[in-house]
Amino acid sequence: NLLYAILETAEFHLPGACMLSFWHWMDAETSSYYPDYCYDGGLLEITTDGGATWTQLTPQEGAYSHLIREGSVPGPFVPETPVWSGSEDWQEVTVDLTTLVGPVQLRWAFGSDGAVTQEGWYIDDVRIYKSQVAGSDDAAENRVLRPRLHPARPNPLVVGSRGSVAATSVSFELPYATDALVTLHDASGRLVRTLASGRLPEGPHVIDWDGRDVAGRVVPAGSYYVNLRVGETAATRKVTVLR
């Protein structure tokens, strides 16, 4: 009750012509008597002046799902504020940031009133990428602004009773052609296998790992970590091996 929770990014630089996308899951209190109104919900804001002022962003899909209605014990948002609310499974949201250039911060804010409590709001897979400019000579597809490592699929990776294994796919994206290193480590940090090394072109990449180490042996069950390193930028994803 009476929650005001904020998930806030560090400051980063927008070079212009960018888009934002993220996935979210929501379970929040709506009004049973007033359609399209709610008492709890979440919204997205941006600041371009170091946090002195925050402006609500509107999703590209055109609107938030609900408007805040003041209850007997009101929450942090004023009445008629557009928010996401209700019970919604995972869905993707895109936001047009093409006119913004320079240092910015984003924040997802969730507020609830003093009555009914429900599960709340989950945010995942936040991505900033360059959008294709209509009429330009650059026909490249949307590109990420920094190296991005995706979760392995499938995960966990199951090893059969006789040591047979399928493969899990490790996918990542590069914003430009560059030297990249993709390695696999065990829980103690020991190098198990190098999956990719050297100069790679920009764009998406997929590498299959067959559950074996550098010597070709099937690894024991446990937790392993895929590491992508590009210059001083690094990202890590966990892969679980089951027997």
Side-chain angles (χ1 to χ4, degrees):
N1 285 333
L2 297 177
L3 180 70
Y4 183 48
I6 292 175
L7 175 66
E8 184 175 298
T9 70
E11 187 175 88
F12 61 96
H13 184 85
L14 281 177
C18 289
M19 301 290 291
L20 162 70
S21 72
F22 65 93
W23 288 76
H24 72 146
W25 183 101
M26 175 75 74
D27 181 29
E29 183 193 7
T30 60
S31 172
S32 57
Y33 297 103
Y34 299 91
D36 301 325
Y37 279 84
C38 66
Y39 299 102
D40 307 338
L43 53 81
L44 173 65
E45 297 176 307
I46 191 169
T47 180
T48 58
D49 54 15
T53 58
W54 290 86
T55 302
Q56 186 171 356
L57 290 171
T58 301
Q60 194 175 40
E61 289 75 12
Y64 289 86
S65 62
H66 292 77
L67 297 174
I68 289 290
R69 179 173 176 80
E70 185 172 349
S72 57
V73 186
F77 301 134
V78 300
E80 304 298 322
T81 299
V83 295
W84 288 290
S85 188
S87 297
E88 299 290 343
D89 200 359
W90 287 102
Q91 55 184 303
E92 187 177 20
V93 174
T94 55
V95 181
D96 188 348
L97 305 177
T98 55
T99 62
L100 297 173
V101 179
V104 301
Q105 285 177 269
L106 298 170
R107 72 180 185 187
W108 289 257
F110 182 87
S112 63
D113 71 354
V116 177
T117 57
Q118 294 177 215
E119 181 71 12
W121 198 21
Y122 292 85
I123 308 293
D124 202 1
D125 287 334
V126 179
R127 186 167 69 112
I128 301 286
Y129 58 93
K130 293 283 285 184
S131 64
Q132 183 177 335
V133 179
S136 71
D137 294 332
D138 183 6
E141 296 181 354
N142 293 337
R143 295 175 296 176
V144 293
L145 299 182
R146 58 186 301 173
R148 184 176 187 224
L149 178 62
H150 301 278
R153 295 286 189 270
N155 189 10
L157 178 61
V158 179
V159 179
S161 59
R162 297 184 179 181
S164 61
V165 295
T168 187
S169 294
V170 175
S171 60
F172 58 96
E173 295 177 75
L174 299 176
Y176 45 80
T178 184
D179 291 329
L181 178 64
V182 184
T183 53
L184 185 80
H185 302 259
D186 62 18
S188 66
R190 182 181 66 89
L191 177 65
V192 174
R193 186 168 170 181
T194 297
L195 302 179
S197 178
R199 192 160 188 85
L200 297 175
E202 71 173 68
H205 299 266
V206 179
I207 302 171
D208 289 334
W209 177 50
D210 60 2
R212 302 178 186 273
D213 63 16
V214 67
R217 299 169 298 211
V218 176
V219 299
S223 297
Y224 295 84
Y225 298 87
V226 178
N227 181 265
L228 167 66
R229 180 169 293 277
V230 177
E232 296 182 356
T233 300
T236 301
R237 293 284 189 173
K238 181 179 177 180
V239 180
T240 300
V241 175
L242 301 179
R243 285 184 177 271

